[in-house]
Amino acid sequence: MVDAATSSRVALVTGANRGIGRAIAAGLAERGLTALLTARDPSQGEAAAAGLRDKGLSVAAHQLDVTDQASVDRVAAWVEKAYGRLDVLVNNAGAYYDEDQAALTADLRIVQAAFDVNVLGPWRMCEALIPLMRRHHYGRVVNVSSGSGAFAEAGAGTPAYSVSKAGLNMLTVKLAAELRGTGILVNAVCPGWVRTRMGGRAAPRSPEQGADTPIWLATLPADGPTGGFFRDRRRIPW
Ligand code: NDP
């Protein structure tokens, strides 16, 4: 059952045109939230939203490239004007899983590009949108990270991706600490190995399975955790 508080909640998902992001947006809409699907290519975002709207769900789409500050500012202005609130921000957009690179010889332009999407992207989004959450003392920020960015799990390989996701993990800790007591919970999640363009066909999990823990974190109760890193709804080491 969808209660009144849930049905008035607005959730924005980055990279929602495909993969795990689309499954997160769908899952939140199915739980009664209004899901804002953002995508670099607006026609792809609109196509994903149309599929959900056909099922009677409350969704809208907007262009967003998380590496472009003007695009981030435009999406924030749209959310404020059209909805006057934001309750959930899922920083899902991610890129540069550089399996062909090693740290010692990495092309630093790729490393820089990975940081721009995977760290500065969520950072831009938080700076632009958390002020809207603060207005009504409620927010759930979910940073879709990876075990590849955990000191506890990482080995050799994917240097741009892993180092940037480690940066996203630290951003999660910083924001959670700064926002403690404000009603805004900030957590990071590893979705597991998921069948998407990034994860490939051999991955064991469907996008819906990958979306489960992000959706759980996006809908945490007031006494839920903040500043944590989760997989399969359980805390994992950084
Ligand atoms: P996909 O490659 O299927 O999707 C990535 C999404 O991010 C796409 O919507 C893509 O948009 C978007 N994106 C990339 N760059 C930008 C940008 N600059 N601005 C806005 N959107 C952008 O990957 P997944 O669905 O698998 O990945 C989702 C998240 O999960 C990522 O953060 C990833 O690192 C993480 N993850 C995935 C795992 C897996 O096994 N699949 C494992 C661990 C973590 P476009 O279509 O325009 O390219």
Side-chain angles (χ1 to χ4, degrees), residues 5-13 28 32-36 58 60 78-80 82-90 132-133 136 138-140 218:
T6 304
S7 65
S8 65
R9 285 201 173 129
V10 178
L12 186 149
V13 183
L28 291 172
L33 288 83
T34 294
L36 310 181
S58 176
W78 169 67
V79 173
E80 179 167 20
Y83 301 93
R85 63 184 295 146
L86 188 71
D87 303 282
V88 174
L89 169 61
V90 183
L132 257 184
M133 294 178 167
H136 57 285
Y138 178 95
R140 303 289 179 262

Side-chain angles (χ1 to χ4, degrees), residues 90-178:
V90 183
N91 285 311
N92 162 80
Y96 297 100
Y97 189 71
D98 53 335
E99 284 177 294
D100 54 341
Q101 295 213 97
L104 201 55
T105 51
D107 180 341
L108 297 182
R109 288 167 301 186
I110 292 176
V111 177
Q112 197 161 22
F115 265 81
D116 207 9
V117 181
N118 297 341
V119 188
L120 298 178
W123 207 330
R124 288 183 190 98
M125 292 301 290
C126 288
E127 287 193 355
L129 287 158
I130 288 177
L132 257 184
M133 294 178 167
R134 295 197 75 145
R135 278 192 203 163
H136 57 285
H137 313 289
Y138 178 95
R140 303 289 179 262
V141 179
V142 182
N143 291 328
V144 182
S145 183
S146 168
S148 310
F151 291 91
E153 288 185 33
T158 62
Y161 185 76
S162 296
V163 178
S164 65
K165 290 295 194 182
L168 177 61
N169 287 354
M170 182 55 86
L171 177 66
T172 305
V173 170
K174 293 286 161 193
L175 291 172
E178 289 178 18

